[in-house]
PDB file of all heavy atoms in Angstrom:
ATOM      1  N   VAL J 358      84.478  88.376 -34.878  1.00 86.00           N
ATOM      2  CA  VAL J 358      84.819  88.706 -33.497  1.00 86.00           C
ATOM      3  C   VAL J 358      86.158  89.423 -33.441  1.00 86.00           C
ATOM      4  O   VAL J 358      86.325  90.411 -32.726  1.00 86.00           O
ATOM      5  CB  VAL J 358      84.866  87.424 -32.637  1.00 86.00           C
ATOM      6  CG1 VAL J 358      85.249  87.757 -31.198  1.00 86.00           C
ATOM      7  CG2 VAL J 358      83.522  86.713 -32.681  1.00 86.00           C
ATOM      8  N   TYR J 359      87.127  88.928 -34.207  1.00 91.00           N
ATOM      9  CA  TYR J 359      88.468  89.495 -34.209  1.00 91.00           C
ATOM     10  C   TYR J 359      88.912  89.817 -35.636  1.00 91.00           C
ATOM     11  O   TYR J 359      88.265  89.438 -36.611  1.00 91.00           O
ATOM     12  CB  TYR J 359      89.463  88.537 -33.554  1.00 91.00           C
ATOM     13  CG  TYR J 359      89.168  88.256 -32.097  1.00 91.00           C
ATOM     14  CD1 TYR J 359      88.798  86.981 -31.679  1.00 91.00           C
ATOM     15  CD2 TYR J 359      89.248  89.268 -31.141  1.00 91.00           C
ATOM     16  CE1 TYR J 359      88.533  86.713 -30.347  1.00 91.00           C
ATOM     17  CE2 TYR J 359      88.976  89.014 -29.804  1.00 91.00           C
ATOM     18  CZ  TYR J 359      88.616  87.736 -29.412  1.00 91.00           C
ATOM     19  OH  TYR J 359      88.341  87.481 -28.093  1.00 91.00           O
ATOM     20  N   LEU J 360      90.060  90.469 -35.725  1.00 90.00           N
ATOM     21  CA  LEU J 360      90.587  90.916 -37.011  1.00 90.00           C
ATOM     22  C   LEU J 360      91.556  89.912 -37.630  1.00 90.00           C
ATOM     23  O   LEU J 360      92.041  90.105 -38.733  1.00 90.00           O
ATOM     24  CB  LEU J 360      91.287  92.269 -36.815  1.00 90.00           C
ATOM     25  CG  LEU J 360      91.656  93.101 -38.042  1.00 90.00           C
ATOM     26  CD1 LEU J 360      90.415  93.405 -38.878  1.00 90.00           C
ATOM     27  CD2 LEU J 360      92.331  94.396 -37.625  1.00 90.00           C
ATOM     28  N   ASN J 361      91.865  88.835 -36.920  1.00 87.00           N
ATOM     29  CA  ASN J 361      92.890  87.907 -37.389  1.00 87.00           C
ATOM     30  C   ASN J 361      92.335  86.947 -38.439  1.00 87.00           C
ATOM     31  O   ASN J 361      92.005  85.803 -38.166  1.00 87.00           O
ATOM     32  CB  ASN J 361      93.496  87.116 -36.216  1.00 87.00           C
ATOM     33  CG  ASN J 361      92.451  86.307 -35.460  1.00 87.00           C
ATOM     34  OD1 ASN J 361      91.283  86.669 -35.409  1.00 87.00           O
ATOM     35  ND2 ASN J 361      92.876  85.206 -34.878  1.00 87.00           N
ATOM     36  N   GLY J 362      92.246  87.414 -39.676  1.00 89.00           N
ATOM     37  CA  GLY J 362      91.747  86.596 -40.771  1.00 89.00           C
ATOM     38  C   GLY J 362      92.866  86.120 -41.671  1.00 89.00           C
ATOM     39  O   GLY J 362      94.053  86.256 -41.369  1.00 89.00           O
ATOM     40  N   ILE J 363      92.472  85.553 -42.807  1.00 87.00           N
ATOM     41  CA  ILE J 363      93.403  85.027 -43.792  1.00 87.00           C
ATOM     42  C   ILE J 363      93.195  85.771 -45.110  1.00 87.00           C
ATOM     43  O   ILE J 363      92.117  85.704 -45.694  1.00 87.00           O
ATOM     44  CB  ILE J 363      93.189  83.516 -44.023  1.00 87.00           C
ATOM     45  CG1 ILE J 363      93.427  82.735 -42.741  1.00 87.00           C
ATOM     46  CG2 ILE J 363      94.102  83.008 -45.141  1.00 87.00           C
ATOM     47  CD1 ILE J 363      94.838  82.806 -42.233  1.00 87.00           C
ATOM     48  N   ILE J 364      94.208  86.495 -45.560  1.00 88.00           N
ATOM     49  CA  ILE J 364      94.138  87.191 -46.840  1.00 88.00           C
ATOM     50  C   ILE J 364      94.744  86.314 -47.927  1.00 88.00           C
ATOM     51  O   ILE J 364      95.865  85.839 -47.793  1.00 88.00           O
ATOM     52  CB  ILE J 364      94.865  88.544 -46.776  1.00 88.00           C
ATOM     53  CG1 ILE J 364      94.130  89.503 -45.827  1.00 88.00           C
ATOM     54  CG2 ILE J 364      94.974  89.174 -48.163  1.00 88.00           C
ATOM     55  CD1 ILE J 364      94.803  90.841 -45.659  1.00 88.00           C
ATOM     56  N   THR J 365      93.959  86.081 -49.004  1.00 85.00           N
ATOM     57  CA  THR J 365      94.434  85.229 -50.092  1.00 85.00           C
ATOM     58  C   THR J 365      94.662  86.020 -51.375  1.00 85.00           C
ATOM     59  O   THR J 365      94.852  85.430 -52.430  1.00 85.00           O
ATOM     60  CB  THR J 365      93.415  84.107 -50.373  1.00 85.00           C
ATOM     61  OG1 THR J 365      92.136  84.678 -50.658  1.00 85.00           O
ATOM     62  CG2 THR J 365      93.293  83.178 -49.172  1.00 85.00           C
ATOM     63  N   GLY J 366      94.635  87.325 -51.275  1.00 85.00           N
ATOM     64  CA  GLY J 366      94.780  88.168 -52.457  1.00 85.00           C
ATOM     65  C   GLY J 366      93.660  89.190 -52.475  1.00 85.00           C
ATOM     66  O   GLY J 366      93.690  90.196 -51.766  1.00 85.00           O
ATOM     67  N   ASP J 367      92.616  88.906 -53.273  1.00 91.00           N
ATOM     68  CA  ASP J 367      91.463  89.805 -53.342  1.00 91.00           C
ATOM     69  C   ASP J 367      90.448  89.543 -52.239  1.00 91.00           C
ATOM     70  O   ASP J 367      89.582  90.368 -51.970  1.00 91.00           O
ATOM     71  CB  ASP J 367      90.753  89.663 -54.693  1.00 91.00           C
ATOM     72  CG  ASP J 367      91.612  90.159 -55.844  1.00 91.00           C
ATOM     73  OD1 ASP J 367      92.465  91.031 -55.603  1.00 91.00           O
ATOM     74  OD2 ASP J 367      91.435  89.654 -56.970  1.00 91.00           O
ATOM     75  N   LYS J 368      90.533  88.386 -51.601  1.00 92.00           N
ATOM     76  CA  LYS J 368      89.583  88.009 -50.566  1.00 92.00           C
ATOM     77  C   LYS J 368      90.273  87.910 -49.202  1.00 92.00           C
ATOM     78  O   LYS J 368      91.476  87.680 -49.105  1.00 92.00           O
ATOM     79  CB  LYS J 368      88.946  86.655 -50.892  1.00 92.00           C
ATOM     80  CG  LYS J 368      88.175  86.598 -52.192  1.00 92.00           C
ATOM     81  CD  LYS J 368      86.888  87.396 -52.127  1.00 92.00           C
ATOM     82  CE  LYS J 368      85.996  87.098 -53.333  1.00 92.00           C
ATOM     83  NZ  LYS J 368      86.632  87.382 -54.636  1.00 92.00           N
ATOM     84  N   VAL J 369      89.452  88.049 -48.157  1.00 93.00           N
ATOM     85  CA  VAL J 369      89.935  87.830 -46.791  1.00 93.00           C
ATOM     86  C   VAL J 369      88.900  86.980 -46.070  1.00 93.00           C
ATOM     87  O   VAL J 369      87.695  87.220 -46.161  1.00 93.00           O
ATOM     88  CB  VAL J 369      90.185  89.169 -46.058  1.00 93.00           C
ATOM     89  CG1 VAL J 369      88.954  90.051 -46.079  1.00 93.00           C
ATOM     90  CG2 VAL J 369      90.646  88.929 -44.630  1.00 93.00           C
TER      91      VAL J 369
END
Side-chain angles (χ1 to χ4, degrees):
V358 179
Y359 297 114
L360 193 58
N361 59 331
I363 299 296
I364 293 178
T365 56
D367 293 333
K368 300 290 192 302
V369 55

